[in-house]
Every structure is written in structure tokens, then in C-alpha cells.
Amino acid sequence: MDRKRFHIVHDEQPDRHMVYIKGELDLAAAEQFQRAVEPLANDATKLLVIHLDELTYIDSTGIGMLVALL
């Protein structure tokens, strides 16, 4: 996979949503990120865990989206 291409993997477990973000989280990927993660963040029955191990770049838009999830 291209290191710059944005990709999300969601692994739902009994007590949590595990989200793995790969590539670049920037303005171009913001809508895709929001569509994928916002419903999971609104699920009050499970924790949301976001793994950033394979995130290669994040701009101010991406940081703002992560802060908004808090």
C-alpha cells in the first residue's frame, strides 16, 4: 500500500471499537475519516480506540478532527 494513501480499518470487539489509521490524515481524507469514525464515537456502549502507529502524516485538519472526537 502507498504510504501516503489514507486507509481506515475498523475492528469491532465486544467492548470497544478498534480503529487503525494508515497513511495521511489531511484535508483530502477528512470526510472519509469523519464518515467512518463519527458513528463509532457516538456509540456510548463501547470505547473508541484509535491506533496511529501507521499514520505517516497529519495536518491541522486531522488534528482538529481528533480533538473534536474528545
Side-chain angles (χ1 to χ4, degrees):
M1 179 177 83
D2 182 1
R3 287 178 44 91
K4 292 185 178 185
R5 187 170 164 257
F6 182 74
H7 183 69
I8 296 175
V9 175
H10 172 223
D11 176 23
E12 187 170 353
Q13 298 180 2
D15 63 338
R16 67 190 65 209
H17 294 286
M18 304 291 286
V19 176
Y20 300 86
I21 299 177
K22 301 176 182 183
E24 295 186 355
L25 178 53
D26 55 13
L27 181 60
E31 185 178 339
Q32 181 184 355
F33 176 79
Q34 184 174 13
R35 279 194 323 261
V37 177
E38 196 169 83
L40 305 177
N42 291 331
D43 180 358
T45 65
K46 295 182 181 185
L47 293 174
L48 174 61
V49 179
I50 300 177
H51 289 269
L52 305 175
D53 298 355
E54 295 186 49
L55 185 67
T56 58
Y57 174 80
I58 187 169
D59 69 0
S60 60
T61 302
I63 292 170
M65 296 184 86
L66 289 175
V67 171
L69 288 173
L70 295 174

